Amino acid sequence: MKKNLLSTVCFFLSLAVFGQTEKKDELIKKNWNFGGLPTITFDTDLGFQYGALVNLYDYGDGTRFPKYNHSLYFEVSRYTKGSGINRFYYDSDQLIKGLQTSVDLSYLSDQAYDFYGFNGYDAVYNADWVDTEASDYKTRMFYKYDRKLFRFKVDLQGKLAGNHVRWAAGFNLQNFAIKSVNLDKLNKGKKGNDVLPAVDGLFEKYQQWGIINTKEANGGFVPTIKGGIVFDSRDNRPNPMKGIWTEAVLEGAPTFLGAESSFVKLSLIHRQYFTLIPKNLSFVYRLAYQTTVAGHTPFYYQSQVITSVLTGALSEGLGGGKTLRGVLRNRVVGDGFLYGNAEMRWKVVRFNWINNNFYIGLNSFLDFGKVTNKIPVTFSFAGSSGFTNSDPDYNKIDAEKMHTSYGGGLRIVMNENFVIAVDYGVAANKQDGTSGMYIGLNYLF
């Protein structure tokens, strides 16, 4: 399996651009404030990641604090061997009065995007095949392909009934460019046993076997429109202490917008927040179900997790930092799936520093999920004498069951909105990998 050397050095920069007032030992923020986070990470195959992110908040005259009028998020980061994130995200309920408006413009490149096959445990994960000491394959790239994604996304929400029921709508333009891993680039500067050999990975084998057709193998353009209904009674968006956030969303990719493959997906997500100790300790959970209700979804879109509003650079899984922490990224991919998360969240200490409000939080969690509607998998490899759909090296019929992981995390939060997040998750089954460390922004939900 992939073994990462992850070294993260981060520090927290913040500045009150204009004034603030004090009320009951809390600094009430006014006007524009920002939080910035430079990071350094390292991956054996991708190299060092360098760059920075900045989140600007406009609190106006401070009467709505900690709610903000406008939020602008910028991130530019690179890996030394080519991968990177370029993202702008805007969120406001003041741009258009009566509407919550979110806009995302991103270009995301990934030279080693994870691909473990379809239908969870039905697709066998062989850890030895990516262990350079234990495998004849001798490549950490066996479960990878190269993906570049351009995305322009607008999400809107408006009042439907009372203070909590809203309608949701939006459109999303995404272009996926997919190819095999560029081994020449990854091998640059390597010698001897460190050189990754030109060996077909699972992505190439799925094409040879006819599971991924030639029309989809290079990616494609996916324009989608969506609509739905949202019930939201949270008392705070970044980290609620009480309330419910439930949504039902239909997303479709119609041919009249230029979709290369037409489909409709349904997403149902329920989140609930309980206060155990006022202001300090809460129990929260999320339950979700997603499935294709019409048409054919291309394989490269099956990993997308649909929500009413995008809250991070990516919304993908199942597996990884946004869904099943500790499970391999994209380990659980199907035409339909369910997943859930349960967390205890504790705000350990609060303090004022450099003219801003901070708190340190800890959380513990249990994550789970499984495929409920499988992608058809039929091997049609002409040269495979005796090869069947239940070949133990690649596929096991009806092996899928619940995937689970557990772990804990740390939060450093400024002004209730800017959240530095660190989570460490452990997979309960070796078929899902071992563990994962995730350093980023925001609570999971």
Side-chain angles (χ1 to χ4, degrees), residues 42 55 100 120 165 168 185 206 215 217 258 262 310 336 356 379 391:
F42 178 75
N55 210 160
Q100 186 74 42
V165 182
K185 179 177 286 189
Y206 264 46
K215 181 181 178 182
S262 181
L310 185 68
N356 288 281
F379 293 91
D391 186 288

Side-chain angles (χ1 to χ4, degrees), residues 216 222 261-263 296-303:
E216 297 181 1
V222 184
S261 183
S262 181
F263 61 87
H296 167 73
T297 305
F299 91 93
Y300 51 82
Y301 201 77
Q302 291 285 27
S303 61

Side-chain angles (χ1 to χ4, degrees), residues 32 53-57 68 70-76 85-92 100-107 151-157 226 237 245 307-314 441-442:
W32 287 94
L53 57 87
V54 175
N55 210 160
L56 296 159
Y57 296 97
Y68 52 79
H70 305 275
S71 170
L72 293 86
Y73 175 91
F74 303 86
E75 179 177 356
V76 177
I85 296 174
N86 306 273
R87 186 181 183 224
F88 166 72
Y89 180 75
Y90 171 79
D91 182 58
S92 174
Q100 186 74 42
T101 305
S102 302
V103 179
D104 175 272
L105 179 64
S106 299
Y107 177 72
R151 180 181 66 219
F152 176 63
K153 182 180 179 66
V154 176
D155 292 318
L156 301 171
Q157 291 189 24
K226 71 179 179 184
R237 291 179 66 190
W245 179 17
T307 63
S308 61
V309 61
L310 185 68
T311 58
L314 291 168
L441 295 180
N442 301 321

Side-chain angles (χ1 to χ4, degrees), residues 235-378:
D235 61 342
N236 174 258
R237 291 179 66 190
N239 181 22
M241 292 295 292
K242 62 180 180 179
I244 292 174
W245 179 17
T246 298
E247 62 187 61
V249 174
L250 280 172
E251 180 181 77
T255 55
F256 68 80
L257 289 179
E260 298 174 20
S261 183
S262 181
F263 61 87
V264 178
K265 283 187 174 286
L266 169 68
S267 172
L268 304 172
I269 307 177
H270 175 72
R271 314 163 185 87
Q272 195 159 2
Y273 309 84
F274 300 93
T275 298
L276 302 181
I277 298 177
K279 296 184 178 182
N280 290 325
L281 182 65
S282 62
F283 170 74
V284 304
Y285 72 88
R286 174 175 67 174
L287 296 174
Y289 171 73
Q290 179 175 309
T291 193
T292 302
V293 295
H296 167 73
T297 305
F299 91 93
Y300 51 82
Y301 201 77
Q302 291 285 27
S303 61
Q304 301 298 301
V305 177
I306 298 166
T307 63
S308 61
V309 61
L310 185 68
T311 58
L314 291 168
S315 180
E316 298 183 334
L318 302 179
K322 299 301 182 183
T323 51
L324 310 182
R325 289 158 289 187
V327 173
L328 294 165
R329 182 175 65 153
N330 298 333
R331 177 66 179 99
V332 188
V333 174
D335 206 33
F337 51 78
L338 62 83
Y339 64 97
N341 317 93
E343 287 193 7
M344 296 288 290
R345 297 176 180 174
W346 179 28
K347 298 175 182 177
V348 180
V349 61
R350 300 174 185 270
F351 57 95
N352 296 333
W353 182 50
I354 52 177
N355 294 325
N356 288 281
N357 306 296
F358 285 84
Y359 72 78
I360 306 297
L362 298 175
N363 62 297
S364 60
F365 59 82
L366 172 69
D367 301 338
F368 55 91
K370 72 183 297 288
V371 171
T372 57
N373 187 21
K374 295 182 179 180
I375 299 171
V377 173
T378 301

Side-chain angles (χ1 to χ4, degrees), residues 81-290:
K81 294 187 178 181
S83 299
I85 296 174
N86 306 273
R87 186 181 183 224
F88 166 72
Y89 180 75
Y90 171 79
D91 182 58
S92 174
D93 62 358
Q94 300 296 304
L95 179 67
I96 305 173
K97 293 294 185 179
L99 292 183
Q100 186 74 42
T101 305
S102 302
V103 179
D104 175 272
L105 179 64
S106 299
Y107 177 72
L108 309 168
S109 59
D110 196 331
Q111 290 187 122
Y113 188 74
D114 294 289
F115 178 73
Y116 297 98
F118 302 149
N119 307 326
Y121 290 134
D122 283 15
V124 177
Y125 169 62
N126 293 279
D128 288 344
W129 290 3
V130 290
D131 185 333
T132 56
E133 301 298 326
S135 171
D136 292 335
Y137 286 97
K138 294 183 179 178
T139 175
R140 291 178 295 276
M141 296 294 109
F142 185 80
Y143 292 107
K144 311 289 184 182
Y145 62 73
D146 185 300
R147 189 190 78 170
K148 294 179 175 62
L149 171 61
F150 170 81
R151 180 181 66 219
F152 176 63
K153 182 180 179 66
V154 176
D155 292 318
L156 301 171
Q157 291 189 24
K159 184 179 293 187
L160 186 62
N163 294 322
H164 302 311
V165 182
R166 303 196 300 265
W167 56 263
F171 68 89
N172 191 4
L173 306 178
Q174 296 186 85
N175 190 74
F176 296 82
I178 295 172
K179 60 182 180 180
S180 297
V181 173
N182 188 338
L183 294 176
D184 291 337
K185 179 177 286 189
L186 295 181
N187 282 328
K188 187 176 180 179
K190 292 184 176 181
K191 296 180 181 180
N193 292 332
D194 291 333
V195 175
L196 299 169
V199 176
D200 286 340
L202 189 64
F203 173 61
E204 290 76 25
K205 290 181 179 295
Y206 264 46
Q207 295 176 66
Q208 297 166 10
W209 297 332
I211 300 171
I212 295 177
N213 63 50
T214 56
K215 181 181 178 182
E216 297 181 1
N218 296 323
F221 178 55
V222 184
T224 63
I225 54 177
K226 71 179 179 184
I229 187 170
V230 177
F231 179 88
D232 187 356
S233 62
R234 292 174 293 168
D235 61 342
N236 174 258
R237 291 179 66 190
N239 181 22
M241 292 295 292
K242 62 180 180 179
I244 292 174
W245 179 17
T246 298
E247 62 187 61
V249 174
L250 280 172
E251 180 181 77
T255 55
F256 68 80
L257 289 179
E260 298 174 20
S261 183
S262 181
F263 61 87
V264 178
K265 283 187 174 286
L266 169 68
S267 172
L268 304 172
I269 307 177
H270 175 72
R271 314 163 185 87
Q272 195 159 2
Y273 309 84
F274 300 93
T275 298
L276 302 181
I277 298 177
K279 296 184 178 182
N280 290 325
L281 182 65
S282 62
F283 170 74
V284 304
Y285 72 88
R286 174 175 67 174
L287 296 174
Y289 171 73
Q290 179 175 309

